[in-house]
Amino acid sequence: MDLLPEDRAVEADLAMLGDLLAGPLLPAARGLLGCRLDAGGVTVRITEVEAYAGTAGDPASHAYRGRTPRNAVMFGPAGHAYVYFTYGMHWCMNVVTGVEGEAAAVLLRAGEVVDGLATARARRPAVRRDVDLARGPARLCAALGIDRAAYGGYLLGDGPVRLRPPERPVPAQAVLAGPRVGVTGAHDVPWRFWLDGDPTVSAYRRHVPRARG
C-alpha cells in the first residue's frame, strides 16, 4: 500500500533525525532541542540537553573507562535509549548518538509537557507549577513514566518510548550553550545546550568538590 503524503513526510523527518543522531555528537545534541518525546501517555518537548563523549576522552561520561553491562547500549547504534538509575531513587535517560563504538550519548535534562498534562501531574502530585513537571533529568523521566524497561529501546520506531522531530525548526540563535551540571569531571566543558528563555530549563549549579577532613 502506498503511503499518504503526510506519512511520507513523517518518514522523511524521522530519517533526517536518524541521520543527525548518527553524526557528530554536538550537532546531534543541539538538534534534539525542540524534539518531542512520547511515553506513558505524556509528550514532552525537549528544552535542555547535555552531551557526553565516552571514547573521546570525556571523564564525565559513564563510558569513559570502557564498556560495561550498564553502559553497553551507549556504544551504538544511534537512536537507542540509555537509561540509568542514580542516587538510588531516580531514572535518567540519554539518546545514543554517533557511530557504533564511540559511546556518545545525550542526556535529556528538561522539557515542557505539551500533552498528557493530567497524567504527568498524577505522577508528580507534589509539583505546584506545570513548568516544573519535567524540569530536570529525573523529573522528566518521572513525568513520562520512564524506567529501566526503556533501556535499549529504539526511539525512532513505534515502541513505547518515541522520539519525534520538532513541530517547527528551532532557530540557531534560540540555542544557548554552557557548562554541564553536577558532574565531577570536565564540569566546565560547555556541552549543555538549552532553549533561551524557556522556563522549564533547569537551574545551573556548578560542581563544588566536597571538602575532605
Side-chain angles (χ1 to χ4, degrees):
M1 179 182 295
D2 291 337
L3 295 175
L4 296 173
E6 55 267 31
D7 293 329
R8 293 195 192 97
V10 170
E11 284 200 349
D13 288 344
L14 283 173
M16 290 179 62
L17 181 56
D19 289 342
L20 177 70
L21 296 178
L25 172 63
L26 299 188
R30 294 188 188 96
L32 282 168
L33 293 173
C35 285
R36 292 160 295 149
L37 187 66
D38 304 321
V42 175
T43 301
V44 165
R45 179 179 67 98
I46 299 168
T47 60
E48 182 185 11
V49 298
E50 278 179 346
Y52 291 89
T55 53
D58 182 0
S61 171
H62 288 179
Y64 179 59
R65 300 187 185 280
R67 186 189 298 261
T68 67
R70 181 197 195 199
N71 67 28
V73 71
M74 287 183 67
F75 287 80
H80 290 256
Y82 168 47
V83 179
Y84 65 90
F85 201 49
T86 183
Y87 296 116
M89 64 181 75
H90 300 305
W91 295 100
C92 297
M93 178 177 153
N94 297 253
V95 178
V96 176
T97 66
V99 300
E100 289 194 54
E102 284 189 351
V106 178
L107 174 67
L108 304 183
R109 279 206 56 86
E112 174 195 9
V113 177
V114 295
D115 195 24
L117 183 61
T119 301
R121 291 199 66 86
R123 289 185 177 130
R124 306 203 63 235
V127 174
R128 295 183 178 181
R129 305 188 307 160
D130 291 346
V131 295
D132 293 326
L133 285 169
R135 189 170 182 244
R139 294 174 179 179
L140 184 146
C141 283
L144 290 161
I146 289 174
D147 58 17
R148 179 67 172 77
Y151 181 96
Y154 184 56
L155 300 173
L156 304 184
D158 294 321
V161 183
R162 298 174 300 280
L163 183 68
R164 296 295 181 260
E167 291 186 339
R168 60 187 64 86
V170 175
Q173 62 269 25
V175 177
L176 298 182
R180 295 180 292 195
V181 178
V183 294
T184 57
H187 45 263
D188 289 327
V189 174
W191 283 5
R192 181 171 63 99
F193 303 96
W194 66 93
L195 296 179
D196 187 16
D198 195 290
T200 65
V201 173
S202 59
Y204 172 67
R205 295 181 180 86
R206 188 180 189 277
H207 171 73
V208 178
R210 293 181 180 179
R212 294 187 178 183

